Amino acid sequence: MIATHKGLKLKALSPIFWAPRQLEMSLRLLPNSGHPSLHLRRNCRLFYDLRPTNQQPPPPMEVEIKLRLPDSSSHHKLSHLLSSHHIKTHNQHNFFFDGPNAELSSNHAALRIRLYDEDSHCVLSLKAKPIISDGISRIEEEEEALEPSIGRACVEEPNRMLLMEESKILERVKEEYGVDGFVCLGGFKNERRVYEWKGLKLELDETIFEFGRNYEMECESEDAERDRDLLEGFMKENGIRYSYSQSSKFAIFRSGKLPPFS
């Protein structure tokens, strides 16, 4: 139903839309000096964040602080300072995939299989729409657990992923990006030391590329600016050189060289 008065339109919303949040309100128009007499009172709802019922919600957004270290000595010093907060260390092997016509990378997306600790477990992930600025990375990320033997088999024969019909990630890759086959781009290893420090989960990485090693501190955060400032204060207080990371590990891998430290 639509009611119109001098450019004012009130439209009933179609029931094919849903709203996770809504505000009950009462709308009342009263006569005033600028308009002829008009009286309208109707209970209505103010909707926002509307989507068709068959549309999937957007993927979760990963927000991380990323601080790059210049060398192994800075990495060792930071590791020593945090040693009393150490909880575990992971040895990761990361492999990346694309379509035969670069359907993913040309759209700023990355499909990854990560194997942990001599294939003790495995995670399939899709990352897309990366933004990194002032030491804070924001990127869409979806993850699914994968049997390590299946992950290893996909590294050897990437098109096995075409047969994984229960994977929501691979369904999205095929439907949204038009991928009808897979190629393995290679990958790199990463040693990740994990710490719990002042309520934060810190991840200290030594990434081993074929062309060199990169050192970085990462920290997922719900208040990235506040926690970045806290980490920067800790670094400065202890004389540890650092810079804001400018590129993801995947971007460095694809470039084939370590970025200059600045």
Side-chain angles (χ1 to χ4, degrees):
M1 178 187 75
I2 299 177
T4 304
H5 177 74
K6 290 187 177 295
L8 174 66
K9 293 185 177 181
L10 302 175
K11 184 177 181 180
L13 295 173
S14 167
I16 67 169
F17 290 94
W18 60 275
R21 301 178 297 276
Q22 50 189 294
L23 174 66
E24 295 286 349
M25 64 177 289
S26 178
L27 176 66
R28 187 175 187 179
L29 299 179
L30 296 174
N32 59 50
S33 58
H35 294 84
S37 178
L38 171 64
H39 294 268
L40 172 63
R41 183 176 180 87
R42 183 180 302 275
N43 288 328
C44 64
R45 290 175 178 175
L46 177 65
F47 291 90
Y48 58 99
D49 194 19
L50 301 177
R51 304 185 192 96
T53 53
N54 61 351
Q55 182 174 325
Q56 295 294 323
M61 182 72 69
E62 178 191 63
V63 181
E64 285 186 318
I65 301 154
K66 289 179 176 282
L67 302 178
R68 189 178 177 210
L69 305 173
D71 48 38
S72 60
S73 61
S74 296
H75 175 272
H76 177 76
K77 183 176 181 180
L78 183 55
S79 177
H80 177 71
L81 286 168
L82 292 170
S83 59
S84 62
H85 304 279
H86 180 259
I87 56 173
K88 58 188 171 184
T89 297
H90 288 302
N91 290 296
Q92 306 168 339
H93 203 168
N94 302 283
F95 298 94
F96 296 88
F97 302 83
D98 206 340
N101 298 305
E103 290 90 345
L104 293 173
S105 55
S106 63
N107 285 286
H108 308 289
L111 182 66
R112 182 188 70 199
I113 287 178
R114 171 175 284 172
L115 291 152
Y116 288 80
D117 305 324
E118 302 297 329
D119 295 6
S120 66
H121 66 285
C122 179
V123 175
L124 173 70
S125 66
L126 177 65
K127 297 193 175 192
K129 302 176 183 178
I131 298 173
I132 186 166
S133 177
D134 297 330
I136 297 173
S137 167
R138 294 175 171 86
I139 190 169
E140 289 183 2
E141 182 182 51
E142 293 180 87
E143 293 187 328
E144 295 175 353
L146 196 62
E147 284 291 332
S149 60
I150 294 175
R152 185 64 69 177
C154 289
V155 172
E156 300 299 326
E157 297 182 51
N159 278 328
R160 282 178 176 263
M161 287 189 283
L162 294 172
L163 306 177
M164 296 166 56
E165 297 180 352
E166 295 183 0
S167 170
K168 296 296 184 183
I169 288 177
L170 295 177
E171 179 182 355
R172 180 186 173 197
V173 165
K174 289 182 280 188
E175 293 183 359
E176 183 174 332
Y177 295 95
V179 174
D180 59 4
F182 292 96
V183 294
C184 183
L185 303 175
F188 52 82
K189 293 182 178 180
N190 187 60
E191 182 193 76
R192 171 163 290 174
R193 302 180 189 183
V194 184
Y195 306 86
E196 287 184 353
W197 178 81
K198 295 192 175 183
L200 300 176
K201 181 180 178 181
L202 306 183
E203 297 171 335
L204 182 58
D205 289 345
E206 178 180 4
T207 307
I208 306 166
F209 300 104
E210 290 184 354
F211 45 84
R213 297 187 180 221
N214 191 64
Y215 304 93
E216 188 176 47
M217 169 71 78
E218 295 185 354
C219 174
E220 284 196 42
S221 174
E222 295 181 355
D223 190 336
E225 286 77 12
R226 179 201 64 194
D227 294 338
R228 179 197 59 198
D229 293 346
L230 180 64
L231 283 170
E232 286 194 79
F234 175 72
M235 297 284 208
K236 291 174 181 176
E237 181 182 338
N238 289 281
I240 298 175
R241 292 177 60 211
Y242 70 92
S243 66
Y244 293 156
S245 297
Q246 302 293 325
S247 305
S248 68
K249 293 180 179 67
F250 176 67
I252 294 172
F253 163 68
R254 293 292 281 163
S255 74
K257 60 182 179 180
L258 295 177
F261 182 83
S262 56

